[in-house]
Amino acid sequence: MSQQTFDSYEEFWPYYVAMHSRAATRWVHLTGTLTGLTIAVYGLARGRKRYLAALPLIGYGTAWPAHFLIEKNNPATFGHPAWSLRGDAQMIGMILAGRDAELAETAAKWLTEHGGDERG
C-alpha cells in the first residue's frame, strides 16, 4: 500500500487505528508508552530531567518493533508524526476506558473499505 494522504486528523484517525488492527500491537503501544511515561514522571519528581528521554525511547522503542513484527507494516509515525502522536494518545485513552473492541471494529472497517488486510 502506498503512502496515504489525509486532509484532516478526523480522516487520518481510522487509518491510524487500522495500522494498529491487532490487539497485541495496541497493547504493546499502551505498555511502552505508560512505562516510558512512568519513568519520565519519576525522573522529574527526583530532579533527573534526563529521565524524560524514557518516554520517546521506551514508547517508540517498543511500539515500532510491534509494527514490523506483529502488524507487518510501517509505523504511521513515519509519514504523519504529529497526527500519530495525537492518535497514540487517543488510542491509549480508549484502551484505558475499556473501548478496545471499538478500536478493533474501526480497524476492520477501514481495512475492508481500503483493500482487505493490506497494511501500509
Side-chain angles (χ1 to χ4, degrees):
M1 188 179 295
S2 62
Q3 179 68 35
Q4 297 288 316
T5 58
F6 306 96
D7 294 324
S8 67
Y9 174 76
E10 291 69 28
E11 187 180 325
F12 169 76
W13 169 247
Y15 164 79
Y16 173 86
V17 176
M19 296 302 101
H20 300 81
S21 67
R22 293 187 167 88
T25 304
R26 294 188 298 273
W27 284 86
V28 167
H29 275 59
L30 172 89
T31 303
T33 299
L34 294 182
T35 300
L37 183 61
T38 300
I39 293 169
V41 168
Y42 169 80
L44 283 177
R46 305 288 293 173
R48 299 180 177 143
K49 291 182 182 179
R50 69 180 179 273
Y51 280 42
L52 285 173
L55 184 52
L57 289 175
I58 295 172
Y60 288 123
T62 56
W64 287 352
H67 282 280
F68 304 128
L69 300 172
I70 299 169
E71 292 287 342
K72 308 292 190 230
N73 66 18
N74 289 320
T77 305
F78 292 171
H80 309 282
W83 284 347
S84 292
L85 184 60
R86 182 175 169 187
D88 285 342
Q90 185 173 347
M91 180 177 70
I92 289 167
M94 290 178 72
I95 294 169
L96 292 174
R99 296 171 59 195
D100 193 50
E102 184 180 333
L103 293 167
E105 290 172 17
T106 299
K109 181 180 177 191
W110 192 95
L111 289 168
T112 298
E113 292 173 355
H114 294 89
D117 198 36
E118 291 182 44
R119 293 167 199 269

